[in-house]
Amino acid sequence: MNLHEYQARDILRRHGIPVTAGEVARTAEEARAIAARFGGRVVVKAQVHAGGRGKAGGVKLARDAAEAGVHAAKILGMTIKGLTVERVLVAPAVDIGSETYVGIVVDRAAQRPVLMVSAAGGVDIEAVAAERPEQIHRLPIDPRYGLLPHQALGLALRLYRNVAQARLAADVMQRLYQAFYAVGASLAEINPLATTPDGTLIAVDAKIVLDDNELERHPDLAALRDTSAEAPAEAAARAAGLTFIKLAGSVGCCVNGAGLAMATMDLVKYYGGEPANFLDIGGSSNPQKVVDALKIIASDPSVRAILFNIFGGITRGDDVANGIVQATRQFPVTVPLVIRLTGTNEALAIEILTKAGFSALTDMDEAVKQAVAKARAA
Ligand code: GDP
Ligand code: MN
């Protein structure tokens, strides 16, 4: 789950990392009023779940409150990487000396968090990573011990020649790791970590991505979710207790079990199609889940055919069949439906489907081939 910058800043602040104050505005007038309270010299920042806001014109410095209002009017409603800006953060402007990058990300290959730092921080960090990777220093963190003080200082000394600043940076790194661990993040990043004229350090930007699997332990953080910033289908699926991921293809997939769902997507691709989604209705038997799943898939305009792939174990075929029949009575399903169903209560399921005018297959290859062909023909 993505957090907005203002939410990530709050987390960093709670962990003792120096961050400028800031308030969120939804209108230009609100932004102007906040800027006036901060003395006028502020930065106005688009709050969207995307990086590169500065380059897209979504981060602007203002000399006074009136100018802050003008910037906010321009930034609010702007689209950055397909996302509409509904809020801006107004924060006192910092006089920036140097900009460094400090980030922690879960490295799946290393099976642990990795701290990455660079003296070449700021808006061009992606280019640095691509063209001058030697300027990014990496340190895998052993989760049993955390980030140790000497490790943090060692990295900090690669960013700052000034030892006092290096000590401050090491402290920021350790606190960032504490924050990363405490909130269950998959990524926590400060870019830039800025030096100020008086020689101290301050986080000017913050980005945190939370691991969805950690949210159950952190209801306070789960409540920070901005559903207006997500695909509506994903929010609906979450509410229905379905595991759903929107993909770019045209074959809607409704499958029981994550492994079978993965195999189904592989097979769709193998037969020349593209899956429109990953969807696991779970192992339980519950017609309502099927109704919810079908509603989500059928409302996706890029879906040209829907493939059910059900291997009944705990999931009972008749429950799935009843769900399909109920769903098509509740709302129109205008694209072809291909149903593959086998296992528990298979005969009963096929009877229910046949009575309602559907046909069902038991062979997975055949079903996937038909679904791909129907999506093509549509
Ligand atoms: P991003 O482009 O989405 O990463 O947004 P940032 O918050 O990192 O802002 C982009 C750039 O704007 C930063 O790298 C800074 O160079 C600049 N910037 C942001 N806030 C301030 C500020 O308070 N003062 C100054 N002088 N520059 C700022
Ligand atoms: Mn940034």
Short mmCIF file of all heavy atoms in Angstrom, two decimals, residues 15-83:
data_model
loop_
_atom_site.label_atom_id
_atom_site.label_comp_id
_atom_site.label_asym_id
_atom_site.label_seq_id
_atom_site.Cartn_x
_atom_site.Cartn_y
_atom_site.Cartn_z
N HIS A 15 9.62 8.95 14.37
CA HIS A 15 10.83 8.20 14.68
C HIS A 15 12.04 9.11 14.85
O HIS A 15 13.18 8.64 14.81
CB HIS A 15 11.08 7.13 13.61
CG HIS A 15 10.16 5.96 13.78
ND1 HIS A 15 8.90 5.92 13.25
CD2 HIS A 15 10.30 4.81 14.48
CE1 HIS A 15 8.31 4.79 13.59
NE2 HIS A 15 9.14 4.09 14.33
N GLY A 16 11.79 10.40 15.03
CA GLY A 16 12.86 11.33 15.40
C GLY A 16 13.72 11.80 14.25
O GLY A 16 14.82 12.32 14.47
N ILE A 17 13.27 11.61 13.02
CA ILE A 17 14.03 12.11 11.87
C ILE A 17 13.63 13.57 11.63
O ILE A 17 12.43 13.88 11.62
CB ILE A 17 13.76 11.25 10.62
CG1 ILE A 17 14.29 9.84 10.85
CG2 ILE A 17 14.39 11.87 9.37
CD1 ILE A 17 13.96 8.86 9.74
N PRO A 18 14.60 14.47 11.46
CA PRO A 18 14.23 15.87 11.21
C PRO A 18 13.51 16.04 9.87
O PRO A 18 14.03 15.66 8.82
CB PRO A 18 15.57 16.63 11.23
CG PRO A 18 16.63 15.61 11.17
CD PRO A 18 16.05 14.27 11.53
N VAL A 19 12.31 16.56 9.94
CA VAL A 19 11.47 16.80 8.76
C VAL A 19 10.86 18.18 8.95
O VAL A 19 10.51 18.54 10.07
CB VAL A 19 10.31 15.77 8.69
CG1 VAL A 19 9.48 15.95 7.44
CG2 VAL A 19 10.82 14.35 8.80
N THR A 20 10.72 18.94 7.87
CA THR A 20 10.06 20.25 8.03
C THR A 20 8.59 20.04 8.37
O THR A 20 8.01 19.00 8.06
CB THR A 20 10.11 21.08 6.72
OG1 THR A 20 9.78 20.24 5.63
CG2 THR A 20 11.45 21.73 6.52
N ALA A 21 8.01 21.07 8.99
CA ALA A 21 6.57 21.06 9.26
C ALA A 21 5.85 21.04 7.92
O ALA A 21 6.48 21.15 6.87
CB ALA A 21 6.18 22.30 10.05
N GLY A 22 4.53 20.93 7.93
CA GLY A 22 3.80 20.94 6.67
C GLY A 22 2.35 20.66 6.92
O GLY A 22 2.00 19.99 7.90
N GLU A 23 1.50 21.22 6.06
CA GLU A 23 0.06 20.95 6.17
C GLU A 23 -0.51 20.72 4.79
O GLU A 23 0.02 21.21 3.79
CB GLU A 23 -0.64 22.14 6.83
CG GLU A 23 -0.49 22.17 8.33
CD GLU A 23 -1.19 23.38 8.94
OE1 GLU A 23 -2.37 23.61 8.62
OE2 GLU A 23 -0.52 24.09 9.70
N VAL A 24 -1.61 19.99 4.77
CA VAL A 24 -2.21 19.59 3.50
C VAL A 24 -3.37 20.52 3.15
O VAL A 24 -4.16 20.89 4.02
CB VAL A 24 -2.72 18.13 3.59
CG1 VAL A 24 -3.47 17.73 2.33
CG2 VAL A 24 -1.53 17.20 3.83
N ALA A 25 -3.43 20.91 1.88
CA ALA A 25 -4.52 21.76 1.39
C ALA A 25 -5.22 21.10 0.23
O ALA A 25 -4.60 20.39 -0.57
CB ALA A 25 -3.96 23.12 0.95
N ARG A 26 -6.54 21.32 0.15
CA ARG A 26 -7.32 20.80 -0.97
C ARG A 26 -7.73 21.90 -1.93
O ARG A 26 -8.24 21.63 -3.01
CB ARG A 26 -8.60 20.12 -0.45
CG ARG A 26 -8.33 18.79 0.20
CD ARG A 26 -9.60 18.23 0.82
NE ARG A 26 -9.34 16.93 1.41
CZ ARG A 26 -9.39 15.78 0.74
NH1 ARG A 26 -9.71 15.76 -0.53
NH2 ARG A 26 -9.12 14.64 1.35
N THR A 27 -7.54 23.15 -1.51
CA THR A 27 -7.86 24.27 -2.40
C THR A 27 -6.70 25.26 -2.39
O THR A 27 -5.87 25.26 -1.46
CB THR A 27 -9.12 25.02 -1.93
OG1 THR A 27 -8.84 25.62 -0.65
CG2 THR A 27 -10.33 24.10 -1.79
N ALA A 28 -6.68 26.13 -3.40
CA ALA A 28 -5.63 27.15 -3.48
C ALA A 28 -5.73 28.10 -2.30
O ALA A 28 -4.70 28.51 -1.74
CB ALA A 28 -5.76 27.91 -4.80
N GLU A 29 -6.94 28.43 -1.90
CA GLU A 29 -7.13 29.36 -0.78
C GLU A 29 -6.57 28.76 0.51
O GLU A 29 -5.88 29.43 1.28
CB GLU A 29 -8.62 29.71 -0.66
CG GLU A 29 -9.01 30.58 0.53
CD GLU A 29 -8.11 31.80 0.76
OE1 GLU A 29 -7.60 32.38 -0.23
OE2 GLU A 29 -7.87 32.16 1.93
N GLU A 30 -6.83 27.47 0.72
CA GLU A 30 -6.27 26.81 1.91
C GLU A 30 -4.74 26.84 1.86
O GLU A 30 -4.09 27.08 2.87
CB GLU A 30 -6.71 25.33 1.94
CG GLU A 30 -8.05 25.07 2.61
CD GLU A 30 -8.48 23.61 2.46
OE1 GLU A 30 -7.60 22.70 2.40
OE2 GLU A 30 -9.69 23.38 2.37
N ALA A 31 -4.20 26.60 0.67
CA ALA A 31 -2.74 26.59 0.53
C ALA A 31 -2.18 27.97 0.85
O ALA A 31 -1.15 28.09 1.52
CB ALA A 31 -2.37 26.17 -0.90
N ARG A 32 -2.85 29.00 0.37
CA ARG A 32 -2.40 30.37 0.63
C ARG A 32 -2.38 30.65 2.13
O ARG A 32 -1.43 31.19 2.68
CB ARG A 32 -3.32 31.36 -0.11
CG ARG A 32 -2.75 32.77 -0.26
CD ARG A 32 -3.84 33.80 -0.47
NE ARG A 32 -4.86 33.74 0.58
CZ ARG A 32 -4.69 34.19 1.82
NH1 ARG A 32 -3.54 34.76 2.17
NH2 ARG A 32 -5.66 34.07 2.71
N ALA A 33 -3.47 30.24 2.81
CA ALA A 33 -3.58 30.49 4.25
C ALA A 33 -2.49 29.74 5.03
O ALA A 33 -1.89 30.28 5.96
CB ALA A 33 -4.97 30.09 4.75
N ILE A 34 -2.23 28.51 4.63
CA ILE A 34 -1.17 27.74 5.31
C ILE A 34 0.18 28.41 5.08
O ILE A 34 0.97 28.59 6.01
CB ILE A 34 -1.13 26.27 4.79
CG1 ILE A 34 -2.45 25.56 5.15
CG2 ILE A 34 0.04 25.52 5.38
CD1 ILE A 34 -2.65 24.23 4.41
N ALA A 35 0.42 28.82 3.83
CA ALA A 35 1.69 29.48 3.50
C ALA A 35 1.87 30.73 4.35
O ALA A 35 2.96 31.01 4.85
CB ALA A 35 1.73 29.81 2.01
N ALA A 36 0.80 31.48 4.53
CA ALA A 36 0.87 32.72 5.33
C ALA A 36 1.29 32.38 6.76
O ALA A 36 2.15 33.06 7.35
CB ALA A 36 -0.48 33.43 5.31
N ARG A 37 0.74 31.29 7.30
CA ARG A 37 1.10 30.90 8.67
C ARG A 37 2.57 30.51 8.76
O ARG A 37 3.21 30.70 9.79
CB ARG A 37 0.24 29.70 9.11
CG ARG A 37 -1.14 30.08 9.57
CD ARG A 37 -1.68 29.03 10.55
NE ARG A 37 -1.96 27.74 9.93
CZ ARG A 37 -3.01 27.48 9.17
NH1 ARG A 37 -3.90 28.42 8.92
NH2 ARG A 37 -3.20 26.29 8.64
N PHE A 38 3.12 29.95 7.68
CA PHE A 38 4.53 29.54 7.68
C PHE A 38 5.45 30.69 7.27
O PHE A 38 6.63 30.48 7.03
CB PHE A 38 4.75 28.35 6.73
CG PHE A 38 4.24 27.04 7.28
CD1 PHE A 38 3.57 26.15 6.46
CD2 PHE A 38 4.45 26.67 8.61
CE1 PHE A 38 3.11 24.93 6.93
CE2 PHE A 38 3.99 25.45 9.09
CZ PHE A 38 3.31 24.59 8.26
N GLY A 39 4.91 31.89 7.12
CA GLY A 39 5.75 33.05 6.81
C GLY A 39 5.92 33.30 5.32
O GLY A 39 6.72 34.16 4.93
N GLY A 40 5.20 32.56 4.48
CA GLY A 40 5.17 32.88 3.05
C GLY A 40 6.13 32.07 2.18
O GLY A 40 5.75 31.59 1.13
N ARG A 41 7.39 31.91 2.62
CA ARG A 41 8.36 31.15 1.78
C ARG A 41 8.11 29.66 1.99
O ARG A 41 8.52 29.10 3.01
CB ARG A 41 9.79 31.50 2.16
CG ARG A 41 10.34 32.71 1.43
CD ARG A 41 11.87 32.77 1.54
NE ARG A 41 12.53 31.73 0.76
CZ ARG A 41 13.33 30.79 1.27
NH1 ARG A 41 13.57 30.72 2.55
NH2 ARG A 41 13.89 29.90 0.47
N VAL A 42 7.46 29.06 1.04
CA VAL A 42 7.08 27.65 1.20
C VAL A 42 7.35 26.88 -0.10
O VAL A 42 7.65 27.47 -1.14
CB VAL A 42 5.58 27.50 1.54
CG1 VAL A 42 5.25 28.09 2.90
CG2 VAL A 42 4.71 28.10 0.44
N VAL A 43 7.22 25.57 0.01
CA VAL A 43 7.22 24.73 -1.18
C VAL A 43 5.83 24.09 -1.24
O VAL A 43 5.28 23.68 -0.22
CB VAL A 43 8.38 23.70 -1.16
CG1 VAL A 43 8.34 22.83 0.09
CG2 VAL A 43 8.40 22.85 -2.41
N VAL A 44 5.25 24.08 -2.45
CA VAL A 44 3.91 23.52 -2.66
C VAL A 44 4.10 22.21 -3.42
O VAL A 44 4.71 22.20 -4.51
CB VAL A 44 3.01 24.49 -3.46
CG1 VAL A 44 1.61 23.90 -3.64
CG2 VAL A 44 2.94 25.84 -2.76
N LYS A 45 3.61 21.09 -2.88
CA LYS A 45 3.96 19.78 -3.43
C LYS A 45 2.73 18.91 -3.70
O LYS A 45 1.93 18.66 -2.79
CB LYS A 45 4.89 19.04 -2.46
CG LYS A 45 6.02 19.91 -1.93
CD LYS A 45 6.95 19.14 -1.02
CE LYS A 45 7.81 18.17 -1.82
NZ LYS A 45 8.75 17.45 -0.92
N ALA A 46 2.61 18.43 -4.92
CA ALA A 46 1.53 17.52 -5.30
C ALA A 46 1.60 16.26 -4.44
O ALA A 46 2.68 15.69 -4.28
CB ALA A 46 1.66 17.16 -6.78
N GLN A 47 0.46 15.81 -3.92
CA GLN A 47 0.42 14.57 -3.14
C GLN A 47 -0.25 13.50 -3.99
O GLN A 47 -1.47 13.37 -4.02
CB GLN A 47 -0.31 14.79 -1.82
CG GLN A 47 0.38 15.80 -0.92
CD GLN A 47 1.77 15.36 -0.51
OE1 GLN A 47 1.94 14.43 0.27
NE2 GLN A 47 2.80 16.01 -1.05
N VAL A 48 0.57 12.77 -4.73
CA VAL A 48 0.08 11.64 -5.53
C VAL A 48 1.02 10.47 -5.29
O VAL A 48 2.16 10.66 -4.86
CB VAL A 48 0.05 11.94 -7.05
CG1 VAL A 48 -1.13 12.80 -7.41
CG2 VAL A 48 1.35 12.57 -7.52
N HIS A 49 0.54 9.26 -5.57
CA HIS A 49 1.38 8.07 -5.39
C HIS A 49 2.30 7.89 -6.58
O HIS A 49 2.19 6.94 -7.33
CB HIS A 49 0.50 6.82 -5.20
CG HIS A 49 -0.29 6.85 -3.93
ND1 HIS A 49 -1.45 6.13 -3.76
CD2 HIS A 49 -0.09 7.49 -2.76
CE1 HIS A 49 -1.92 6.34 -2.54
NE2 HIS A 49 -1.11 7.16 -1.91
N ALA A 50 3.21 8.84 -6.76
CA ALA A 50 4.15 8.74 -7.88
C ALA A 50 5.41 9.51 -7.53
O ALA A 50 5.35 10.51 -6.80
CB ALA A 50 3.53 9.32 -9.15
N GLY A 51 6.53 9.05 -8.04
CA GLY A 51 7.77 9.80 -7.89
C GLY A 51 7.90 10.76 -9.07
O GLY A 51 7.02 10.83 -9.92
N GLY A 52 9.01 11.51 -9.10
CA GLY A 52 9.23 12.41 -10.24
C GLY A 52 8.25 13.55 -10.31
O GLY A 52 7.99 14.11 -11.37
N ARG A 53 7.71 13.93 -9.15
CA ARG A 53 6.73 15.03 -9.15
C ARG A 53 7.40 16.34 -9.50
O ARG A 53 6.82 17.18 -10.19
CB ARG A 53 6.06 15.13 -7.77
CG ARG A 53 5.24 13.91 -7.42
CD ARG A 53 4.96 13.89 -5.95
NE ARG A 53 6.20 13.93 -5.19
CZ ARG A 53 6.29 14.26 -3.92
NH1 ARG A 53 5.21 14.61 -3.26
NH2 ARG A 53 7.46 14.26 -3.30
N GLY A 54 8.65 16.50 -9.01
CA GLY A 54 9.37 17.75 -9.29
C GLY A 54 9.51 17.97 -10.78
O GLY A 54 9.18 19.04 -11.30
N LYS A 55 9.97 16.94 -11.49
CA LYS A 55 10.19 17.06 -12.94
C LYS A 55 8.88 17.28 -13.68
O LYS A 55 8.86 17.86 -14.76
CB LYS A 55 10.87 15.81 -13.47
CG LYS A 55 12.33 15.78 -13.07
CD LYS A 55 13.14 14.84 -13.94
CE LYS A 55 14.60 15.11 -13.70
NZ LYS A 55 15.45 14.07 -14.26
N ALA A 56 7.77 16.78 -13.12
CA ALA A 56 6.47 16.92 -13.78
C ALA A 56 5.82 18.28 -13.48
O ALA A 56 4.70 18.53 -13.90
CB ALA A 56 5.55 15.78 -13.35
N GLY A 57 6.51 19.12 -12.71
CA GLY A 57 5.94 20.44 -12.38
C GLY A 57 5.05 20.41 -11.15
O GLY A 57 4.31 21.36 -10.90
N GLY A 58 5.15 19.33 -10.38
CA GLY A 58 4.28 19.19 -9.21
C GLY A 58 4.92 19.64 -7.91
O GLY A 58 4.34 19.44 -6.84
N VAL A 59 6.12 20.22 -7.96
CA VAL A 59 6.78 20.75 -6.76
C VAL A 59 7.27 22.16 -7.09
O VAL A 59 8.09 22.33 -8.00
CB VAL A 59 7.99 19.87 -6.34
CG1 VAL A 59 8.71 20.48 -5.14
CG2 VAL A 59 7.53 18.45 -6.03
N LYS A 60 6.74 23.17 -6.39
CA LYS A 60 7.09 24.56 -6.74
C LYS A 60 7.38 25.38 -5.48
O LYS A 60 6.64 25.32 -4.51
CB LYS A 60 5.91 25.23 -7.47
CG LYS A 60 5.63 24.64 -8.85
CD LYS A 60 6.24 25.54 -9.93
CE LYS A 60 5.86 25.10 -11.31
NZ LYS A 60 6.91 24.32 -11.96
N LEU A 61 8.46 26.15 -5.56
CA LEU A 61 8.80 27.06 -4.46
C LEU A 61 8.04 28.36 -4.63
O LEU A 61 7.87 28.85 -5.75
CB LEU A 61 10.31 27.34 -4.48
CG LEU A 61 11.20 26.17 -4.04
CD1 LEU A 61 12.65 26.42 -4.45
CD2 LEU A 61 11.10 25.95 -2.54
N ALA A 62 7.59 28.91 -3.49
CA ALA A 62 6.86 30.19 -3.52
C ALA A 62 7.57 31.20 -2.61
O ALA A 62 8.05 30.83 -1.54
CB ALA A 62 5.43 29.99 -3.05
N ARG A 63 7.62 32.48 -3.07
CA ARG A 63 8.29 33.51 -2.26
C ARG A 63 7.35 34.07 -1.19
O ARG A 63 7.77 34.56 -0.17
CB ARG A 63 8.78 34.65 -3.15
CG ARG A 63 10.13 34.35 -3.78
CD ARG A 63 10.36 35.23 -4.98
NE ARG A 63 9.30 34.97 -5.97
CZ ARG A 63 9.37 35.35 -7.25
NH1 ARG A 63 10.42 36.03 -7.69
NH2 ARG A 63 8.39 35.08 -8.08
N ASP A 64 6.06 34.03 -1.49
CA ASP A 64 5.11 34.54 -0.50
C ASP A 64 3.79 33.76 -0.60
O ASP A 64 3.63 32.91 -1.48
CB ASP A 64 4.88 36.05 -0.70
CG ASP A 64 4.46 36.37 -2.13
OD1 ASP A 64 3.63 35.62 -2.69
OD2 ASP A 64 4.96 37.37 -2.69
N ALA A 65 2.88 34.09 0.29
CA ALA A 65 1.64 33.32 0.40
C ALA A 65 0.82 33.42 -0.89
O ALA A 65 0.23 32.42 -1.34
CB ALA A 65 0.82 33.81 1.59
N ALA A 66 0.81 34.60 -1.49
CA ALA A 66 0.01 34.77 -2.71
C ALA A 66 0.53 33.84 -3.81
O ALA A 66 -0.24 33.18 -4.51
CB ALA A 66 0.06 36.23 -3.17
N GLU A 67 1.86 33.79 -3.93
CA GLU A 67 2.44 32.92 -4.96
C GLU A 67 2.16 31.44 -4.65
O GLU A 67 1.93 30.64 -5.55
CB GLU A 67 3.96 33.16 -5.06
CG GLU A 67 4.55 32.60 -6.34
CD GLU A 67 6.07 32.75 -6.44
OE1 GLU A 67 6.71 33.17 -5.45
OE2 GLU A 67 6.60 32.44 -7.52
N ALA A 68 2.15 31.10 -3.37
CA ALA A 68 1.82 29.72 -2.98
C ALA A 68 0.42 29.38 -3.46
O ALA A 68 0.16 28.27 -3.96
CB ALA A 68 1.93 29.56 -1.46
N GLY A 69 -0.50 30.33 -3.33
CA GLY A 69 -1.88 30.12 -3.80
C GLY A 69 -1.91 29.90 -5.30
O GLY A 69 -2.62 29.01 -5.80
N VAL A 70 -1.11 30.69 -6.03
CA VAL A 70 -1.06 30.56 -7.50
C VAL A 70 -0.50 29.18 -7.89
O VAL A 70 -1.06 28.49 -8.74
CB VAL A 70 -0.20 31.70 -8.11
CG1 VAL A 70 0.00 31.47 -9.61
CG2 VAL A 70 -0.85 33.05 -7.86
N HIS A 71 0.58 28.78 -7.22
CA HIS A 71 1.15 27.44 -7.51
C HIS A 71 0.14 26.34 -7.21
O HIS A 71 -0.03 25.40 -7.99
CB HIS A 71 2.40 27.20 -6.67
CG HIS A 71 3.60 27.98 -7.13
ND1 HIS A 71 3.81 28.33 -8.44
CD2 HIS A 71 4.66 28.48 -6.44
CE1 HIS A 71 4.94 29.01 -8.54
NE2 HIS A 71 5.48 29.12 -7.33
N ALA A 72 -0.52 26.46 -6.06
CA ALA A 72 -1.48 25.41 -5.66
C ALA A 72 -2.60 25.31 -6.69
O ALA A 72 -3.03 24.21 -7.05
CB ALA A 72 -2.03 25.71 -4.27
N ALA A 73 -3.06 26.47 -7.18
CA ALA A 73 -4.16 26.46 -8.16
C ALA A 73 -3.73 25.69 -9.41
O ALA A 73 -4.53 24.99 -10.03
CB ALA A 73 -4.54 27.90 -8.53
N LYS A 74 -2.44 25.84 -9.77
CA LYS A 74 -1.94 25.14 -10.95
C LYS A 74 -1.75 23.65 -10.69
O LYS A 74 -2.06 22.82 -11.54
CB LYS A 74 -0.58 25.75 -11.36
CG LYS A 74 -0.65 26.43 -12.72
CD LYS A 74 0.71 26.92 -13.15
CE LYS A 74 0.62 28.42 -13.42
NZ LYS A 74 1.89 29.12 -13.23
N ILE A 75 -1.23 23.31 -9.51
CA ILE A 75 -0.88 21.90 -9.23
C ILE A 75 -2.13 21.07 -8.94
O ILE A 75 -2.24 19.92 -9.36
CB ILE A 75 0.14 21.83 -8.07
CG1 ILE A 75 1.46 22.48 -8.49
CG2 ILE A 75 0.37 20.39 -7.64
CD1 ILE A 75 2.47 22.64 -7.37
N LEU A 76 -3.10 21.65 -8.23
CA LEU A 76 -4.34 20.91 -7.93
C LEU A 76 -5.08 20.64 -9.24
O LEU A 76 -5.27 21.55 -10.05
CB LEU A 76 -5.23 21.72 -6.98
CG LEU A 76 -4.72 21.78 -5.53
CD1 LEU A 76 -5.39 22.92 -4.77
CD2 LEU A 76 -4.96 20.46 -4.80
N GLY A 77 -5.45 19.39 -9.45
CA GLY A 77 -6.14 19.03 -10.69
C GLY A 77 -5.20 18.60 -11.80
O GLY A 77 -5.63 18.05 -12.81
N MET A 78 -3.89 18.84 -11.60
CA MET A 78 -2.89 18.40 -12.59
C MET A 78 -2.81 16.87 -12.62
O MET A 78 -3.14 16.21 -11.63
CB MET A 78 -1.56 18.99 -12.09
CG MET A 78 -0.33 18.67 -12.84
SD MET A 78 1.06 19.37 -11.85
CE MET A 78 1.56 20.67 -12.88
N THR A 79 -2.42 16.30 -13.77
CA THR A 79 -2.25 14.85 -13.83
C THR A 79 -0.76 14.52 -13.86
O THR A 79 -0.03 15.03 -14.70
CB THR A 79 -2.90 14.28 -15.11
OG1 THR A 79 -4.10 14.98 -15.33
CG2 THR A 79 -3.20 12.81 -14.97
N ILE A 80 -0.31 13.67 -12.94
CA ILE A 80 1.09 13.24 -12.91
C ILE A 80 1.10 11.72 -13.03
O ILE A 80 0.54 11.03 -12.17
CB ILE A 80 1.79 13.69 -11.61
CG1 ILE A 80 1.79 15.23 -11.53
CG2 ILE A 80 3.22 13.15 -11.55
CD1 ILE A 80 2.38 15.78 -10.25
N LYS A 81 1.73 11.21 -14.09
CA LYS A 81 1.77 9.77 -14.35
C LYS A 81 0.37 9.16 -14.24
O LYS A 81 0.17 8.14 -13.57
CB LYS A 81 2.76 9.08 -13.41
CG LYS A 81 4.18 9.60 -13.64
CD LYS A 81 5.21 8.84 -12.85
CE LYS A 81 6.60 9.40 -13.14
NZ LYS A 81 7.58 9.00 -12.14
N GLY A 82 -0.62 9.82 -14.84
CA GLY A 82 -1.97 9.29 -14.88
C GLY A 82 -2.78 9.51 -13.60
O GLY A 82 -3.92 9.07 -13.52
N LEU A 83 -2.19 10.17 -12.60
CA LEU A 83 -2.89 10.37 -11.33
C LEU A 83 -3.27 11.84 -11.16
O LEU A 83 -2.45 12.73 -11.37
CB LEU A 83 -1.97 9.94 -10.17
CG LEU A 83 -1.47 8.50 -10.24
CD1 LEU A 83 -0.30 8.29 -9.30
CD2 LEU A 83 -2.61 7.55 -9.90
#
